[in-house]
Amino acid sequence: MLAVIGTLRPWAEPETISIHRLAMHAPLLVDPQYHQSLDGSWAFSLFQHPDDVPPSAVTGPTPPRPTPPGPTPGATQAGSQPVPGNWTIPHNGAASIVEDLPHYTNVQMPFPGPPPALPQRNPTGVYRRTFTVADEWLDRQTVLHIGGAESVHAAWVNDVFVGYGTDSRLPSEYDISAALRPGANDLAIVVIRYSAGSYVEDQDQWWMAGLHRGVFLESRPAVDIADVRAVADLRVNDGVGVLTLTTTVGFSSAPEKGWTVTTRLATMDGIAVGEDQSASVPHRFAQPYVFSGHQAVTTCEVTDVEPWSAEAPTRYRATISLIDLSGHETQTTEVLVGFRHVEVRDRQLLVNGQPIWVFGVNRHDHNPDRGKAVTADDIRADLIQMRRHNISAVRTSHYPNDTVFYDLCDELGMYVIDEANIESHAYNTSLCNDSRYAAAWLARGSRMVQRDSNHPSVLIWSLGNESGYGDNHDALAAWIRRNDPHRPLHYEGAPFHTNWVDGGMLASDLVCPMYPSIASIETYGADGAGTRPLIMCEYSHAMGNSNGSLADYWDVITRTPGLQGGFLWEWKDHGIRQYLGDGTVRLAYGGQFGEQPHDGNFVADGLTSADLEPHPAMAEVAWVYRPVTATLAANAGALVISNRQSFLDLGWMRAEWQLLVDGNVAESGELILPDIAPHSAVEVPLPCVIPSRGEVFLTIRFHQRRASWCAPAGHLVAWDQVALSVAEANDALPAAGTHDFGDAPCAIDSLLIAPVELELWRAPTDNDGFKLLADLSERLGIGGRGMVAWKRAGLADHPAEDLVEHRSTRTVDSDGNAEYHHTVTLPDEFPQPARVGVTFSLPPRFTRLRWYGRGPTENYPDRNSGSMVGVWESEPDAMPYLVPQEFGLRTDCRWFECIDPISGDRVRIVPTGPTTMHCSARHHTAADLFAAATATDLIARDELIVNIDAGHRGLGTGSCGPDVLPQYELAEKQYEFSYRLVVLGSQRYGAGDG
């Protein structure tokens, strides 16, 4: 049993938040000689339960850090573990040394309740190491900082218990001065995987365990700067910055009169701003109604201040010095501040008096090899990839991040909703009114505010996620409002469990729904009944091939008052790199570590892979989030260029235009942009004459003029395309002859490996249904309904020909081109299909694709607004999703070619009725994709599988949110379509025929 606290069992008590933990404070700059990192390899032992940990495991001599692992008596496993790290996953590409694995659940807890009951097996890790400190430290206060431990932790120094803390996503600090000794010191940190606090950490993510953020020591003087609260406000009416610095001074003995604090403000280049300020430190604490703390407050006003925003993240450096009784400077620290003002007014979220578009995404901490132990480089890489795709706002779902995240957002320019580590999803509407958890609610939210309030990037405080709405929320909201009246509050559950118009206003200044329908947000905006802006905290669930109707959302958002955007769910797949016994390496999802219960691949719902490779939908995200748009003016003789930014003009971008005639670039040039103020639009003349013949498009592309922190010079920021003349018929390949040879053989017959067959089925996307979670889809009816309906109709295991009425004819012209005509009639009871089209196979030598349609990347009928019409070329797509499913479509194709680049042979598909179709060419059949549970199960075929679709169902976001909108469904019962299959030889390839 754990020494000192084992009999108390605080981890099982929701009321016990901490023992001996120091007050939270903002991160402060520390002289390097007084900072010592303890990150690295620690000796480690794992026990099955905290009661199994003998006192000797934490109070005996620190064991060495063996490599390879060696046994420790009484431990399940022993060896070494990295700090930061998670013992639940492999590290350094090797098998885990412990028998405790990641566990993924979404709503359900990984063990049965009710709260605060804990499982019989509760893995407990003991981290050990030694450290030494300079002799000078022994006469000062030494603090142990534990950056993050899942779930709870306790610490011992030289056999002395120094503290216990909860909240796995915020740091805990302990005064270890009394336990220190000269020379080597022993440190033990015990981390218990599950606790009473786990019930309010029930987020949609992997359950991990370990010291996942940094551990360090800090030496502080007897009288020290304990905290600095910086409020850098902007007076919007006159542009004056007002900086108020509240410096808390800590006294380790009786406070003395005469201590003062001086503050200085400068630009980041060191140029002084204003005059130095000075304030005395109150020392008379026994003064009722007068004493409010050992806090020195200075205030200065700055004229001509450069405000902070995500578009122009200007910061200033505030230097705070502590002056002793003799007038000597004993300590100095720094805080970086940004002047800005945030408010909710007139149904708008305003920054510096201006409404902003919330081009947002939700982000979890995740690295495929280190789990929750993300580095500064990981965070920066996430932010770079976000901004390259025009994402400028982040919700820290669903907990505070490491402080380096906020430092980077301040520096680089990102708007942040900072969210408290509170989610009781499995007990959604009960714990929020449970007084046993009231202290946890208040501590988790208030400590977040105390730590992060100096960051200009933090615009909004969030009270947590999916925890009902109750007394505990209102209590926390009241504390935050009193402590920080300069920021609005966010909590989705407050209006959700009441109403959008005036419900839950104590706890949320925003209407911030999850996955609302487009119609519902449009109604809220148009009604004008509510006083709060609507900003979706989660929308468009990016699970697999998803994010349909993003453009439809933003069409409504940008034209409806009261709507300002939202946060996509979510940034990154949470795949964990897993090394199997047969040498296979894969990115694993829920259940692939053998855990029960689990929620399968619901953890793979990111806009990028776990390795940060953008999924195809990211192109559509970048387009709907673009900072500038180009549309055709009402008179069709000009372009309307709209600046969607709130603070910058368009001088940092250059614009280029291309005139496309029948897909080919006929003219191009630079588009000269006039001065366009933020939130304004200007008409500019068309840069060219519209040709009298052919299908004509004008494409405008906006590029960065200079390199920035997120992209090189020339990076494509935004693009738009306007149709100037649309062809009425597909004349991409005129018929060479009129003689009809009926069903005579033609050139295409020698190439087809598999004949042309009717296809109504696609390998279901995650939005169509959860093929790996059949109980959710088939019994409980959760998620999209397409897959269940298609399977019941027999499409998964029967030829489409056997299920519907299909009439087809083929005619051959005098050049040997084959034209196919199909009529498909669906029975009345037949469900809406995924597609209506045909499929066939070509030999492996056809390795290139070329098409005149939307591209260049994969696109679908409800996710193609950012895909421009043109002539594109690529190899067949590789399957981009963690769980195999439908992929690789190109919509609105005027023609589509499969090319043998060696011989020059081309098979061209030319739709003749309708004049455009949707095409794809891959090395997998729909059956292959449906049968594979994970990407490593999928084996590419040699042949090329081609699909031609007269109709293809949209994607929607039905895995968590609205299904496909009616205009993107296939609701008709009869379909007719025609196309030609033409074999073209090498003499024509690349000859400029379109």
Side-chain angles (χ1 to χ4, degrees):
M1 183 172 288
L2 287 167
V4 182
I5 64 169
T7 57
L8 301 177
R9 299 172 62 81
W11 58 87
E13 302 170 355
E15 300 93 336
T16 304
I17 303 304
S18 63
I19 302 172
H20 299 332
R21 184 161 65 186
L22 298 176
M24 181 62 84
H25 62 87
L28 300 174
L29 182 68
V30 175
D31 190 318
Q33 68 175 318
Y34 297 126
H35 177 94
Q36 180 178 337
S37 172
L38 299 182
D39 292 351
S41 179
W42 291 46
F44 180 80
S45 298
L46 184 75
F47 299 83
Q48 295 295 323
H49 193 276
D51 290 346
D52 295 340
V53 182
S56 60
V58 297
T59 61
T62 299
R65 298 188 287 278
T67 303
T72 296
T76 301
Q77 293 282 355
S80 62
Q81 280 285 314
V83 174
N86 296 274
W87 76 64
T88 38
I89 64 172
H91 56 277
N92 298 328
S96 177
I97 66 167
V98 294
E99 296 176 354
D100 191 33
L101 297 171
H103 195 142
Y104 170 61
T105 62
N106 175 14
V107 179
Q108 60 189 333
M109 293 289 291
F111 52 85
L118 298 178
Q120 292 183 345
R121 181 178 182 269
N122 190 1
T124 302
V126 180
Y127 290 83
R128 300 292 302 273
R129 66 160 293 157
T130 61
F131 65 88
T132 59
V133 297
D135 290 343
E136 180 188 1
W137 284 35
L138 300 176
D139 296 324
R140 296 161 58 92
Q141 182 190 43
T142 299
V143 172
L144 170 66
H145 175 104
I146 298 173
E150 186 175 346
S151 163
V152 299
H153 67 274
W156 286 257
V157 175
N158 297 327
D159 302 348
V160 176
F161 170 69
V162 295
Y164 165 86
T166 63
D167 191 340
S168 62
R169 311 296 171 201
L170 281 175
S172 296
E173 292 185 339
Y174 307 97
D175 186 347
I176 65 171
S177 308
L180 283 185
R181 62 193 180 197
N185 291 266
D186 294 320
L187 172 61
I189 301 177
V190 176
V191 180
I192 301 169
R193 183 166 188 181
Y194 300 119
S195 70
S198 297
Y199 286 97
V200 290
E201 294 185 354
D202 183 25
Q203 291 107 349
D204 177 14
Q205 61 178 339
W206 292 99
W207 295 87
M208 295 288 187
L211 294 169
H212 62 90
R213 292 182 186 163
V215 178
F216 61 79
L217 301 174
E218 190 174 287
S219 176
R220 300 172 183 170
V223 181
D224 77 303
I225 299 173
D227 195 12
V228 177
R229 180 73 173 268
V231 177
D233 201 3
L234 179 74
R235 284 207 308 252
V236 175
N237 60 333
D238 61 5
V240 172
V242 181
L243 175 63
T244 302
L245 293 170
T246 302
T247 303
T248 300
V249 176
F251 291 92
S252 59
S253 58
E256 296 178 281
K257 180 181 179 180
W259 289 84
T260 59
V261 168
T262 62
T263 60
R264 296 176 293 278
L265 186 66
T267 67
M268 295 298 287
D269 295 329
I271 300 172
V273 176
E275 296 183 357
D276 293 358
Q277 307 291 318
S278 180
S280 298
V281 179
H283 71 288
R284 298 178 62 185
F285 54 87
Q287 288 186 297
Y289 306 106
V290 176
F291 180 73
S292 59
H294 302 297
Q295 295 179 338
V297 181
T298 62
T299 301
C300 69
E301 293 189 356
V302 183
T303 57
D304 299 322
V305 72
E306 293 187 32
W308 186 97
S309 70
E311 296 170 23
T314 302
R315 295 176 299 160
Y316 293 80
R317 189 185 310 277
T319 302
I320 301 95
S321 298
L322 183 61
I323 311 300
D324 67 11
L325 284 63
S326 303
H328 296 117
E329 185 180 281
T330 65
Q331 188 182 9
T332 299
T333 190
E334 291 181 352
V335 175
L336 301 182
V337 300
F339 290 91
R340 55 107 185 94
H341 185 76
V342 185
E343 62 181 319
V344 170
R345 178 165 46 86
D346 301 329
R347 303 179 83 211
Q348 292 181 311
L349 173 66
L350 304 178
V351 175
N352 302 335
Q354 295 297 318
I356 61 169
W357 292 119
V358 179
F359 298 137
V361 72
N362 287 274
R363 177 192 173 275
H364 271 288
D365 280 341
H366 184 72
N367 179 281
D369 301 301
R370 296 187 303 275
K372 290 293 174 185
V374 297
T375 66
D377 287 343
D378 291 333
I379 296 170
R380 182 180 285 271
D382 282 350
L383 297 177
I384 287 172
Q385 193 71 281
M386 287 178 192
R387 204 49 169 268
R388 285 183 176 179
H389 292 86
N390 296 325
I391 294 167
S392 57
V394 182
R395 175 175 172 233
T396 65
S397 55
H398 298 291
Y399 42 80
N401 285 199
D402 189 280
T403 189
V404 70
F405 168 82
Y406 307 92
D407 291 339
L408 287 169
C409 289
D410 293 346
E411 173 194 350
L412 305 175
M414 298 289 282
Y415 297 127
V416 175
I417 289 184
D418 201 4
E419 190 148 275
N421 185 23
I422 301 170
E423 181 170 342
S424 57
H425 206 159
Y427 296 88
N428 199 318
T429 56
S430 59
L431 293 190
C432 57
N433 291 304
D434 191 329
S435 62
R436 295 174 299 173
Y437 280 91
W441 245 263
L442 188 60
R444 288 164 183 260
S446 64
R447 295 178 76 244
M448 171 186 71
V449 172
Q450 289 170 309
R451 188 194 68 163
D452 296 340
S453 61
N454 291 345
H455 291 283
S457 59
V458 176
L459 299 189
I460 298 166
W461 301 119
S462 171
L463 308 187
N465 185 65
E466 292 176 323
S467 303
Y469 175 45
D471 302 339
N472 295 340
H473 291 103
D474 285 345
L476 175 57
W479 188 96
I480 296 177
R481 288 190 190 282
R482 183 63 182 265
N483 184 268
D484 182 14
H486 305 282
R487 291 178 174 93
L489 297 187
H490 162 285
Y491 180 58
E492 178 268 342
F496 174 80
H497 289 279
T498 52
N499 66 82
W500 285 10
V501 174
D502 58 6
M505 296 186 75
L506 290 176
S508 188
D509 297 307
L510 312 176
V511 176
C512 41
M514 289 183 180
Y515 310 104
S517 69
I518 295 173
S520 68
I521 66 173
E522 185 172 25
T523 298
Y524 176 84
D527 281 354
T531 60
R532 296 173 288 187
L534 188 148
I535 298 172
M536 298 174 288
C537 73
E538 295 178 21
Y539 78 110
S540 194
H541 193 248
M543 186 174 179
N545 192 356
S546 184
N547 303 111
S549 284
L550 271 178
D552 297 303
Y553 271 104
W554 277 90
D555 177 59
V556 167
I557 290 167
T558 53
R559 61 178 168 80
T560 307
L563 309 184
Q564 282 186 258
F567 297 83
L568 295 159
W569 187 267
E570 66 170 307
W571 175 238
K572 183 188 291 185
D573 284 352
H574 296 201
I576 296 176
R577 208 169 326 275
Q578 186 181 37
Y579 300 82
L580 303 180
D582 63 358
T584 299
V585 180
R586 67 183 182 187
L587 290 168
Y589 50 77
Q592 293 191 312
F593 290 97
E595 75 270 26
Q596 291 291 341
H598 67 84
D599 288 309
N601 65 306
F602 220 76
V603 78
D605 50 8
L607 291 166
T608 79
S609 72
D611 286 317
L612 208 55
E613 287 295 320
H615 286 155
M618 281 286 274
E620 191 84 347
V621 171
W623 186 79
V624 298
Y625 282 1
R626 65 204 187 283
V628 56
T629 67
T631 56
L632 193 62
N635 62 10
L639 293 172
V640 178
I641 308 298
S642 300
N643 184 355
R644 300 169 83 186
Q645 300 173 110
S646 299
F647 306 103
L648 296 182
D649 61 26
L650 301 182
W652 62 281
M653 286 184 274
R654 59 178 175 82
E656 297 176 345
W657 61 270
Q658 283 186 336
L659 183 71
L660 279 70
V661 180
D662 294 332
N664 294 309
V665 177
E667 293 183 63
S668 63
E670 182 178 359
L671 184 67
I672 304 302
L673 297 175
D675 292 334
I676 305 176
H679 291 310
S680 64
V682 173
E683 285 193 9
V684 299
L686 289 178
C688 55
V689 176
I690 303 175
S692 58
R693 296 178 59 84
E695 184 177 39
V696 183
F697 289 94
L698 183 66
T699 303
I700 312 296
R701 293 183 174 89
F702 300 86
H703 301 267
Q704 283 186 192
R705 289 188 182 276
R706 291 172 292 277
S708 67
W709 64 268
C710 63
H715 168 69
L716 179 63
V717 176
W719 60 97
D720 270 306
Q721 187 175 67
V722 297
L724 300 178
S725 175
V726 179
E728 294 184 2
N730 194 338
D731 56 359
L733 189 71
T738 58
H739 188 74
D740 185 351
F741 289 87
D743 293 327
C746 67
I748 191 68
D749 295 330
S750 64
L751 294 177
L752 294 180
I753 293 177
V756 175
E757 296 180 338
L758 179 67
E759 182 71 280
L760 304 177
W761 159 261
R762 71 182 180 196
T765 67
D766 289 312
N767 289 335
D768 293 332
F770 306 124
K771 72 176 182 181
L772 302 181
L773 300 167
D775 191 58
L776 287 181
S777 288
E778 297 179 12
R779 188 176 70 85
L780 301 178
I782 296 174
R785 306 301 298 146
M787 181 189 72
V788 172
W790 302 330
K791 287 176 65 178
R792 288 175 179 169
L795 283 172
D797 44 24
H798 291 82
E801 295 276 358
D802 298 345
L803 304 174
V804 301
E805 181 183 337
H806 176 216
R807 299 190 305 275
S808 66
T809 60
R810 187 183 84 162
T811 58
V812 180
D813 66 21
S814 57
D815 276 354
N817 303 323
E819 179 156 343
Y820 294 74
H821 182 80
H822 301 266
T823 302
V824 179
T825 305
L826 310 180
D828 289 341
E829 70 280 4
F830 202 80
Q832 293 185 14
R835 67 188 342 143
V836 177
V838 297
T839 183
F840 58 87
S841 300
L842 292 174
R845 64 187 178 92
F846 289 89
T847 60
R848 297 287 298 174
L849 307 176
R850 191 166 178 254
W851 69 98
Y852 176 25
R854 293 192 179 272
T857 57
E858 167 193 286
N859 55 87
Y860 283 77
D862 61 352
R863 202 190 72 206
N864 67 2
S865 296
S867 298
M868 302 295 98
V869 175
V871 175
W872 308 102
E873 185 169 344
S874 73
E875 295 179 347
D877 291 350
M879 207 284 297
Y881 305 110
L882 192 56
V883 173
Q885 56 197 276
E886 161 66 30
F887 74 94
L889 194 69
R890 303 301 193 274
T891 61
D892 299 335
C893 293
R894 283 75 169 160
W895 50 259
F896 188 91
E897 289 182 345
C898 305
I899 304 167
D900 175 354
I902 296 176
S903 69
D905 289 344
R906 293 179 291 165
V907 174
R908 175 177 277 196
I909 302 158
V910 183
T912 56
T915 58
T916 66
M917 289 188 179
H918 313 312
C919 301
S920 63
R922 308 166 300 205
H923 290 287
H924 312 283
T925 66
D928 296 337
L929 295 168
F930 186 53
T934 190
T936 53
D937 294 343
L938 194 62
I939 300 174
R941 293 172 179 259
D942 293 331
E943 63 267 30
L944 188 66
I945 313 300
V946 181
N947 282 91
I948 312 170
D949 297 329
H952 197 109
R953 191 175 191 264
L955 299 170
T957 180
S959 58
C960 190
D963 209 338
V964 175
L965 294 181
Q967 61 265 39
Y968 305 113
E969 293 179 329
L970 302 182
E972 302 298 322
K973 287 300 180 182
Q974 188 172 79
Y975 297 85
E976 289 192 54
F977 56 99
S978 305
Y979 53 89
R980 276 180 283 170
L981 295 184
V982 181
V983 179
L984 302 173
S986 58
Q987 70 276 10
R988 294 192 62 190
Y989 180 50
D993 60 304

